[in-house]
Amino acid sequence: KMPTILMTMEIAVEAVLPGGSAKVKTHVTGVKVLDRPGATLDAAALQPLAGAITGLGYTFTLSPDGVLSDGKVTGTAPGDLQAQLGQMTRAIEQVAMRLPLVPVGVGARWSARRTVHQNGIELTTVTTTQLTSIDGDTFSFTSQTTLSAPDQQLVQQGVTMEIKDVGGGGTGTGTVDLTTMAMRGDLTSEFRGKMSAAGQATPMSVVMQLTLK
């Protein structure tokens, strides 16, 4: 159980391209690690990581229907952290909210299916979003995600591991401001499975809650 991580970012559109896509730049202006009841790691242990993340940025291209591409980390970070950030940027591109290509109204539902590669594991996610209300340039939504994956093998540091019985999913509620693409809301996700290596089987379970303001 991790401490709470509070991250503040600035987001800016640097250019609008032909066809309506935008070149977007983000910048981490501050990171705080806060103790929370039941955490198995002290906040102080993660403070050096918070310092390393502060000042880093992320640039990407955002299409009109919510597809992120060409993601790159800006700034310098230790080598091991840089590799993790590279994986994180790919994950961000794969889970960004997709929008319909045709005009829709309250009650509309649409689904997006993606193949995600995370930490060497291939996953399939299906997210169904429902538009619940519209207020000027802001709309409210709910979302439901399912996660699945075939049994597979991966090699890390020379050790072959088998990943089986993968499942999970998530839910979300919030609002999106169409003038800035800023999202506010609460997203919860879960990943579970079974990892086997060297004759040892270990169950895996990761639950994460993300609040955007």
Side-chain angles (χ1 to χ4, degrees):
K1 230 180 182 183
M2 300 286 285
T4 296
I5 299 175
L6 178 62
M7 181 182 297
T8 306
M9 304 180 71
E10 290 183 350
I11 305 174
V13 174
E14 294 193 309
V16 178
L17 307 176
S21 293
K23 299 291 287 185
V24 181
K25 181 178 181 179
T26 71
H27 177 71
V28 179
T29 58
V31 181
K32 294 181 180 179
V33 185
L34 308 175
D35 283 314
R36 70 176 176 125
T40 55
L41 191 64
D42 291 335
L46 288 180
Q47 205 56 51
L49 177 63
I53 293 175
T54 302
L56 294 180
Y58 177 55
T59 62
F60 56 89
T61 300
L62 174 67
S63 73
D65 61 339
V67 176
L68 274 62
S69 60
D70 304 325
K72 296 181 178 63
V73 176
T74 60
T76 58
D80 54 345
L81 179 59
Q82 194 75 32
Q84 295 179 35
L85 289 172
Q87 293 181 349
M88 186 177 71
T89 59
R90 290 190 293 273
I92 291 172
E93 292 178 6
Q94 293 163 336
V95 303
M97 176 182 282
R98 295 295 299 273
L99 300 176
L101 289 171
V102 296
V104 296
V106 174
R109 293 165 61 93
W110 61 92
S111 295
R113 180 185 180 93
R114 296 181 177 88
T115 298
V116 179
H117 294 87
Q118 187 68 14
N119 296 324
I121 304 175
E122 181 178 305
L123 311 168
T124 298
T125 65
V126 179
T127 300
T128 300
T129 303
Q130 181 169 0
L131 194 160
T132 57
S133 69
I134 300 175
D135 182 8
D137 291 319
T138 301
F139 72 85
S140 300
F141 70 92
T142 62
S143 66
Q144 186 83 35
T145 299
T146 60
L147 182 152
S148 61
D151 294 347
Q152 54 196 285
Q153 289 186 339
L154 66 137
V155 179
Q156 289 190 351
Q157 297 179 344
V159 177
T160 300
M161 294 177 285
E162 292 188 349
I163 309 296
K164 297 183 177 181
D165 304 329
V166 171
T171 59
T173 60
T175 63
V176 175
D177 183 341
L178 292 172
T179 63
T180 62
M181 288 307 295
M183 183 187 296
R184 295 170 175 82
D186 294 284
L187 308 173
T188 300
S189 61
E190 177 189 11
F191 169 85
R192 60 182 182 271
K194 186 181 297 181
M195 179 176 64
S196 300
Q200 301 274 337
T202 304
M204 301 181 295
S205 178
V206 178
V207 177
M208 182 173 68
Q209 181 172 349
L210 179 65
T211 297
L212 300 173
K213 298 182 180 180

